[in-house]
Amino acid sequence: MIVLRQEIGDVLRDQRTLQGRTLRQVSADARVSLGYLSEVERGQKEASSELLSSICGALDLPLSRVLQEVTRRVAATEGVELSGLLVPDTVPPELSEELRDRQLAAPKLDDRHLDDRLGGDDAPRGLVSSAA
């Protein structure tokens, strides 16, 4: 049986070790407790989207790449062919214009508004507070 949290943990650990970084280094950069990061990497804890984003930021790795690698691994385990299922690296010109127009029309959020949407100064579960 495939356990998604184990696949995510494996990908994060593989990326960290490829960079030659320690758990301690990444946990400090991600502002995640060392023990919690270790549990996420071992697939013992489910990482929230906020936590996963923080870890990816510390690894200088787009979340989309992590999810893409997890998708590839799960598909391989299931014996599923991925051709045609993944988003291509390029966007067709006609869609590119539509996406650009949508981005221009979307309201912009500065950091203050983003903090308000994320609940102010409260760090998500598993994150180390800035006072620590």
mmCIF file with all atom_site columns, all heavy atoms in Angstrom, residues 11-28:
data_model
loop_
_atom_site.group_PDB
_atom_site.id
_atom_site.type_symbol
_atom_site.label_atom_id
_atom_site.label_alt_id
_atom_site.label_comp_id
_atom_site.label_asym_id
_atom_site.label_entity_id
_atom_site.label_seq_id
_atom_site.pdbx_PDB_ins_code
_atom_site.Cartn_x
_atom_site.Cartn_y
_atom_site.Cartn_z
_atom_site.occupancy
_atom_site.B_iso_or_equiv
_atom_site.pdbx_formal_charge
_atom_site.auth_seq_id
_atom_site.auth_comp_id
_atom_site.auth_asym_id
_atom_site.auth_atom_id
_atom_site.pdbx_PDB_model_num
ATOM 1   N N   . VAL A 1 11 ? 11.139 11.875 -0.685 1.00 0.00 ? 11 VAL A N   1
ATOM 2   C CA  . VAL A 1 11 ? 11.581 12.887 -1.654 1.00 0.00 ? 11 VAL A CA  1
ATOM 3   C C   . VAL A 1 11 ? 12.314 14.017 -0.933 1.00 0.00 ? 11 VAL A C   1
ATOM 4   O O   . VAL A 1 11 ? 13.386 14.455 -1.377 1.00 0.00 ? 11 VAL A O   1
ATOM 5   C CB  . VAL A 1 11 ? 10.387 13.428 -2.477 1.00 0.00 ? 11 VAL A CB  1
ATOM 6   C CG1 . VAL A 1 11 ? 10.791 14.645 -3.306 1.00 0.00 ? 11 VAL A CG1 1
ATOM 7   C CG2 . VAL A 1 11 ? 9.827  12.336 -3.380 1.00 0.00 ? 11 VAL A CG2 1
ATOM 8   N N   . LEU A 1 12 ? 11.773 14.486 0.178  1.00 0.00 ? 12 LEU A N   1
ATOM 9   C CA  . LEU A 1 12 ? 12.432 15.565 0.926  1.00 0.00 ? 12 LEU A CA  1
ATOM 10  C C   . LEU A 1 12 ? 13.805 15.126 1.432  1.00 0.00 ? 12 LEU A C   1
ATOM 11  O O   . LEU A 1 12 ? 14.786 15.868 1.313  1.00 0.00 ? 12 LEU A O   1
ATOM 12  C CB  . LEU A 1 12 ? 11.560 16.013 2.100  1.00 0.00 ? 12 LEU A CB  1
ATOM 13  C CG  . LEU A 1 12 ? 10.251 16.710 1.733  1.00 0.00 ? 12 LEU A CG  1
ATOM 14  C CD1 . LEU A 1 12 ? 9.400  16.948 2.970  1.00 0.00 ? 12 LEU A CD1 1
ATOM 15  C CD2 . LEU A 1 12 ? 10.502 18.008 0.978  1.00 0.00 ? 12 LEU A CD2 1
ATOM 16  N N   . ARG A 1 13 ? 13.887 13.928 1.984  1.00 0.00 ? 13 ARG A N   1
ATOM 17  C CA  . ARG A 1 13 ? 15.171 13.428 2.480  1.00 0.00 ? 13 ARG A CA  1
ATOM 18  C C   . ARG A 1 13 ? 16.174 13.272 1.328  1.00 0.00 ? 13 ARG A C   1
ATOM 19  O O   . ARG A 1 13 ? 17.343 13.656 1.450  1.00 0.00 ? 13 ARG A O   1
ATOM 20  C CB  . ARG A 1 13 ? 14.995 12.094 3.207  1.00 0.00 ? 13 ARG A CB  1
ATOM 21  C CG  . ARG A 1 13 ? 16.311 11.578 3.812  1.00 0.00 ? 13 ARG A CG  1
ATOM 22  C CD  . ARG A 1 13 ? 16.174 10.264 4.571  1.00 0.00 ? 13 ARG A CD  1
ATOM 23  N NE  . ARG A 1 13 ? 15.457 9.259  3.804  1.00 0.00 ? 13 ARG A NE  1
ATOM 24  C CZ  . ARG A 1 13 ? 14.226 8.831  4.094  1.00 0.00 ? 13 ARG A CZ  1
ATOM 25  N NH1 . ARG A 1 13 ? 13.564 9.300  5.135  1.00 0.00 ? 13 ARG A NH1 1
ATOM 26  N NH2 . ARG A 1 13 ? 13.646 7.917  3.336  1.00 0.00 ? 13 ARG A NH2 1
ATOM 27  N N   . ASP A 1 14 ? 15.713 12.720 0.198  1.00 0.00 ? 14 ASP A N   1
ATOM 28  C CA  . ASP A 1 14 ? 16.604 12.555 -0.957 1.00 0.00 ? 14 ASP A CA  1
ATOM 29  C C   . ASP A 1 14 ? 17.151 13.901 -1.415 1.00 0.00 ? 14 ASP A C   1
ATOM 30  O O   . ASP A 1 14 ? 18.350 14.038 -1.699 1.00 0.00 ? 14 ASP A O   1
ATOM 31  C CB  . ASP A 1 14 ? 15.868 11.876 -2.117 1.00 0.00 ? 14 ASP A CB  1
ATOM 32  C CG  . ASP A 1 14 ? 15.544 10.415 -1.858 1.00 0.00 ? 14 ASP A CG  1
ATOM 33  O OD1 . ASP A 1 14 ? 16.064 9.845  -0.865 1.00 0.00 ? 14 ASP A OD1 1
ATOM 34  O OD2 . ASP A 1 14 ? 14.763 9.838  -2.637 1.00 0.00 ? 14 ASP A OD2 1
ATOM 35  N N   . GLN A 1 15 ? 16.291 14.910 -1.477 1.00 0.00 ? 15 GLN A N   1
ATOM 36  C CA  . GLN A 1 15 ? 16.736 16.234 -1.915 1.00 0.00 ? 15 GLN A CA  1
ATOM 37  C C   . GLN A 1 15 ? 17.713 16.854 -0.916 1.00 0.00 ? 15 GLN A C   1
ATOM 38  O O   . GLN A 1 15 ? 18.713 17.451 -1.310 1.00 0.00 ? 15 GLN A O   1
ATOM 39  C CB  . GLN A 1 15 ? 15.533 17.160 -2.121 1.00 0.00 ? 15 GLN A CB  1
ATOM 40  C CG  . GLN A 1 15 ? 14.683 16.787 -3.303 1.00 0.00 ? 15 GLN A CG  1
ATOM 41  C CD  . GLN A 1 15 ? 15.447 16.879 -4.610 1.00 0.00 ? 15 GLN A CD  1
ATOM 42  O OE1 . GLN A 1 15 ? 16.219 17.803 -4.842 1.00 0.00 ? 15 GLN A OE1 1
ATOM 43  N NE2 . GLN A 1 15 ? 15.236 15.906 -5.473 1.00 0.00 ? 15 GLN A NE2 1
ATOM 44  N N   . ARG A 1 16 ? 17.427 16.689 0.366  1.00 0.00 ? 16 ARG A N   1
ATOM 45  C CA  . ARG A 1 16 ? 18.324 17.232 1.400  1.00 0.00 ? 16 ARG A CA  1
ATOM 46  C C   . ARG A 1 16 ? 19.695 16.575 1.325  1.00 0.00 ? 16 ARG A C   1
ATOM 47  O O   . ARG A 1 16 ? 20.730 17.265 1.345  1.00 0.00 ? 16 ARG A O   1
ATOM 48  C CB  . ARG A 1 16 ? 17.711 17.029 2.793  1.00 0.00 ? 16 ARG A CB  1
ATOM 49  C CG  . ARG A 1 16 ? 18.604 17.535 3.925  1.00 0.00 ? 16 ARG A CG  1
ATOM 50  C CD  . ARG A 1 16 ? 17.998 17.294 5.284  1.00 0.00 ? 16 ARG A CD  1
ATOM 51  N NE  . ARG A 1 16 ? 17.677 15.907 5.579  1.00 0.00 ? 16 ARG A NE  1
ATOM 52  C CZ  . ARG A 1 16 ? 18.591 14.971 5.917  1.00 0.00 ? 16 ARG A CZ  1
ATOM 53  N NH1 . ARG A 1 16 ? 19.866 15.274 5.972  1.00 0.00 ? 16 ARG A NH1 1
ATOM 54  N NH2 . ARG A 1 16 ? 18.207 13.733 6.195  1.00 0.00 ? 16 ARG A NH2 1
ATOM 55  N N   . THR A 1 17 ? 19.728 15.260 1.199  1.00 0.00 ? 17 THR A N   1
ATOM 56  C CA  . THR A 1 17 ? 21.020 14.560 1.152  1.00 0.00 ? 17 THR A CA  1
ATOM 57  C C   . THR A 1 17 ? 21.771 14.852 -0.148 1.00 0.00 ? 17 THR A C   1
ATOM 58  O O   . THR A 1 17 ? 22.998 14.933 -0.132 1.00 0.00 ? 17 THR A O   1
ATOM 59  C CB  . THR A 1 17 ? 20.849 13.038 1.364  1.00 0.00 ? 17 THR A CB  1
ATOM 60  O OG1 . THR A 1 17 ? 19.955 12.512 0.393  1.00 0.00 ? 17 THR A OG1 1
ATOM 61  C CG2 . THR A 1 17 ? 20.334 12.734 2.752  1.00 0.00 ? 17 THR A CG2 1
ATOM 62  N N   . LEU A 1 18 ? 21.041 15.026 -1.254 1.00 0.00 ? 18 LEU A N   1
ATOM 63  C CA  . LEU A 1 18 ? 21.696 15.412 -2.507 1.00 0.00 ? 18 LEU A CA  1
ATOM 64  C C   . LEU A 1 18 ? 22.405 16.761 -2.372 1.00 0.00 ? 18 LEU A C   1
ATOM 65  O O   . LEU A 1 18 ? 23.442 16.999 -2.988 1.00 0.00 ? 18 LEU A O   1
ATOM 66  C CB  . LEU A 1 18 ? 20.679 15.505 -3.651 1.00 0.00 ? 18 LEU A CB  1
ATOM 67  C CG  . LEU A 1 18 ? 20.288 14.202 -4.318 1.00 0.00 ? 18 LEU A CG  1
ATOM 68  C CD1 . LEU A 1 18 ? 19.139 14.423 -5.298 1.00 0.00 ? 18 LEU A CD1 1
ATOM 69  C CD2 . LEU A 1 18 ? 21.470 13.565 -5.024 1.00 0.00 ? 18 LEU A CD2 1
ATOM 70  N N   . GLN A 1 19 ? 21.848 17.632 -1.547 1.00 0.00 ? 19 GLN A N   1
ATOM 71  C CA  . GLN A 1 19 ? 22.447 18.946 -1.298 1.00 0.00 ? 19 GLN A CA  1
ATOM 72  C C   . GLN A 1 19 ? 23.558 18.881 -0.253 1.00 0.00 ? 19 GLN A C   1
ATOM 73  O O   . GLN A 1 19 ? 24.225 19.880 0.000  1.00 0.00 ? 19 GLN A O   1
ATOM 74  C CB  . GLN A 1 19 ? 21.375 19.935 -0.835 1.00 0.00 ? 19 GLN A CB  1
ATOM 75  C CG  . GLN A 1 19 ? 20.355 20.266 -1.895 1.00 0.00 ? 19 GLN A CG  1
ATOM 76  C CD  . GLN A 1 19 ? 19.287 21.223 -1.398 1.00 0.00 ? 19 GLN A CD  1
ATOM 77  O OE1 . GLN A 1 19 ? 19.439 21.887 -0.370 1.00 0.00 ? 19 GLN A OE1 1
ATOM 78  N NE2 . GLN A 1 19 ? 18.197 21.331 -2.139 1.00 0.00 ? 19 GLN A NE2 1
ATOM 79  N N   . GLY A 1 20 ? 23.732 17.709 0.361  1.00 0.00 ? 20 GLY A N   1
ATOM 80  C CA  . GLY A 1 20 ? 24.771 17.556 1.382  1.00 0.00 ? 20 GLY A CA  1
ATOM 81  C C   . GLY A 1 20 ? 24.462 18.317 2.661  1.00 0.00 ? 20 GLY A C   1
ATOM 82  O O   . GLY A 1 20 ? 25.370 18.732 3.381  1.00 0.00 ? 20 GLY A O   1
ATOM 83  N N   . ARG A 1 21 ? 23.184 18.490 2.952  1.00 0.00 ? 21 ARG A N   1
ATOM 84  C CA  . ARG A 1 21 ? 22.777 19.259 4.133  1.00 0.00 ? 21 ARG A CA  1
ATOM 85  C C   . ARG A 1 21 ? 22.282 18.327 5.233  1.00 0.00 ? 21 ARG A C   1
ATOM 86  O O   . ARG A 1 21 ? 21.788 17.239 4.970  1.00 0.00 ? 21 ARG A O   1
ATOM 87  C CB  . ARG A 1 21 ? 21.694 20.256 3.745  1.00 0.00 ? 21 ARG A CB  1
ATOM 88  C CG  . ARG A 1 21 ? 22.255 21.256 2.719  1.00 0.00 ? 21 ARG A CG  1
ATOM 89  C CD  . ARG A 1 21 ? 21.273 22.279 2.289  1.00 0.00 ? 21 ARG A CD  1
ATOM 90  N NE  . ARG A 1 21 ? 20.889 23.107 3.419  1.00 0.00 ? 21 ARG A NE  1
ATOM 91  C CZ  . ARG A 1 21 ? 19.807 23.865 3.417  1.00 0.00 ? 21 ARG A CZ  1
ATOM 92  N NH1 . ARG A 1 21 ? 19.012 23.892 2.375  1.00 0.00 ? 21 ARG A NH1 1
ATOM 93  N NH2 . ARG A 1 21 ? 19.508 24.605 4.465  1.00 0.00 ? 21 ARG A NH2 1
ATOM 94  N N   . THR A 1 22 ? 22.412 18.789 6.452  1.00 0.00 ? 22 THR A N   1
ATOM 95  C CA  . THR A 1 22 ? 21.969 18.008 7.602  1.00 0.00 ? 22 THR A CA  1
ATOM 96  C C   . THR A 1 22 ? 20.532 18.376 7.964  1.00 0.00 ? 22 THR A C   1
ATOM 97  O O   . THR A 1 22 ? 20.026 19.436 7.561  1.00 0.00 ? 22 THR A O   1
ATOM 98  C CB  . THR A 1 22 ? 22.860 18.273 8.828  1.00 0.00 ? 22 THR A CB  1
ATOM 99  O OG1 . THR A 1 22 ? 22.693 19.639 9.227  1.00 0.00 ? 22 THR A OG1 1
ATOM 100 C CG2 . THR A 1 22 ? 24.326 17.980 8.535  1.00 0.00 ? 22 THR A CG2 1
ATOM 101 N N   . LEU A 1 23 ? 19.904 17.501 8.731  1.00 0.00 ? 23 LEU A N   1
ATOM 102 C CA  . LEU A 1 23 ? 18.569 17.805 9.254  1.00 0.00 ? 23 LEU A CA  1
ATOM 103 C C   . LEU A 1 23 ? 18.588 19.109 10.037 1.00 0.00 ? 23 LEU A C   1
ATOM 104 O O   . LEU A 1 23 ? 17.675 19.928 9.928  1.00 0.00 ? 23 LEU A O   1
ATOM 105 C CB  . LEU A 1 23 ? 18.095 16.681 10.178 1.00 0.00 ? 23 LEU A CB  1
ATOM 106 C CG  . LEU A 1 23 ? 17.354 15.513 9.559  1.00 0.00 ? 23 LEU A CG  1
ATOM 107 C CD1 . LEU A 1 23 ? 17.192 14.395 10.567 1.00 0.00 ? 23 LEU A CD1 1
ATOM 108 C CD2 . LEU A 1 23 ? 16.008 15.941 9.016  1.00 0.00 ? 23 LEU A CD2 1
ATOM 109 N N   . ARG A 1 24 ? 19.635 19.297 10.829 1.00 0.00 ? 24 ARG A N   1
ATOM 110 C CA  . ARG A 1 24 ? 19.742 20.491 11.657 1.00 0.00 ? 24 ARG A CA  1
ATOM 111 C C   . ARG A 1 24 ? 19.767 21.762 10.792 1.00 0.00 ? 24 ARG A C   1
ATOM 112 O O   . ARG A 1 24 ? 19.113 22.755 11.103 1.00 0.00 ? 24 ARG A O   1
ATOM 113 C CB  . ARG A 1 24 ? 20.998 20.411 12.530 1.00 0.00 ? 24 ARG A CB  1
ATOM 114 C CG  . ARG A 1 24 ? 21.101 21.528 13.553 1.00 0.00 ? 24 ARG A CG  1
ATOM 115 C CD  . ARG A 1 24 ? 22.247 21.326 14.538 1.00 0.00 ? 24 ARG A CD  1
ATOM 116 N NE  . ARG A 1 24 ? 22.245 20.031 15.188 1.00 0.00 ? 24 ARG A NE  1
ATOM 117 C CZ  . ARG A 1 24 ? 21.464 19.678 16.220 1.00 0.00 ? 24 ARG A CZ  1
ATOM 118 N NH1 . ARG A 1 24 ? 20.610 20.554 16.703 1.00 0.00 ? 24 ARG A NH1 1
ATOM 119 N NH2 . ARG A 1 24 ? 21.541 18.488 16.751 1.00 0.00 ? 24 ARG A NH2 1
ATOM 120 N N   . GLN A 1 25 ? 20.526 21.741 9.707  1.00 0.00 ? 25 GLN A N   1
ATOM 121 C CA  . GLN A 1 25 ? 20.612 22.911 8.827  1.00 0.00 ? 25 GLN A CA  1
ATOM 122 C C   . GLN A 1 25 ? 19.253 23.243 8.203  1.00 0.00 ? 25 GLN A C   1
ATOM 123 O O   . GLN A 1 25 ? 18.822 24.399 8.205  1.00 0.00 ? 25 GLN A O   1
ATOM 124 C CB  . GLN A 1 25 ? 21.641 22.667 7.721  1.00 0.00 ? 25 GLN A CB  1
ATOM 125 C CG  . GLN A 1 25 ? 23.066 22.617 8.204  1.00 0.00 ? 25 GLN A CG  1
ATOM 126 C CD  . GLN A 1 25 ? 24.015 22.096 7.128  1.00 0.00 ? 25 GLN A CD  1
ATOM 127 O OE1 . GLN A 1 25 ? 23.652 21.258 6.308  1.00 0.00 ? 25 GLN A OE1 1
ATOM 128 N NE2 . GLN A 1 25 ? 25.246 22.605 7.152  1.00 0.00 ? 25 GLN A NE2 1
ATOM 129 N N   . VAL A 1 26 ? 18.600 22.223 7.675  1.00 0.00 ? 26 VAL A N   1
ATOM 130 C CA  . VAL A 1 26 ? 17.316 22.455 7.004  1.00 0.00 ? 26 VAL A CA  1
ATOM 131 C C   . VAL A 1 26 ? 16.245 22.851 8.011  1.00 0.00 ? 26 VAL A C   1
ATOM 132 O O   . VAL A 1 26 ? 15.447 23.751 7.749  1.00 0.00 ? 26 VAL A O   1
ATOM 133 C CB  . VAL A 1 26 ? 16.888 21.220 6.178  1.00 0.00 ? 26 VAL A CB  1
ATOM 134 C CG1 . VAL A 1 26 ? 15.496 21.404 5.594  1.00 0.00 ? 26 VAL A CG1 1
ATOM 135 C CG2 . VAL A 1 26 ? 17.905 20.946 5.066  1.00 0.00 ? 26 VAL A CG2 1
ATOM 136 N N   . SER A 1 27 ? 16.252 22.226 9.171  1.00 0.00 ? 27 SER A N   1
ATOM 137 C CA  . SER A 1 27 ? 15.237 22.573 10.173 1.00 0.00 ? 27 SER A CA  1
ATOM 138 C C   . SER A 1 27 ? 15.397 24.026 10.621 1.00 0.00 ? 27 SER A C   1
ATOM 139 O O   . SER A 1 27 ? 14.407 24.731 10.815 1.00 0.00 ? 27 SER A O   1
ATOM 140 C CB  . SER A 1 27 ? 15.283 21.627 11.370 1.00 0.00 ? 27 SER A CB  1
ATOM 141 O OG  . SER A 1 27 ? 16.429 21.831 12.159 1.00 0.00 ? 27 SER A OG  1
ATOM 142 N N   . ALA A 1 28 ? 16.632 24.482 10.761 1.00 0.00 ? 28 ALA A N   1
ATOM 143 C CA  . ALA A 1 28 ? 16.865 25.877 11.144 1.00 0.00 ? 28 ALA A CA  1
ATOM 144 C C   . ALA A 1 28 ? 16.392 26.833 10.047 1.00 0.00 ? 28 ALA A C   1
ATOM 145 O O   . ALA A 1 28 ? 15.710 27.827 10.327 1.00 0.00 ? 28 ALA A O   1
ATOM 146 C CB  . ALA A 1 28 ? 18.343 26.108 11.444 1.00 0.00 ? 28 ALA A CB  1
#
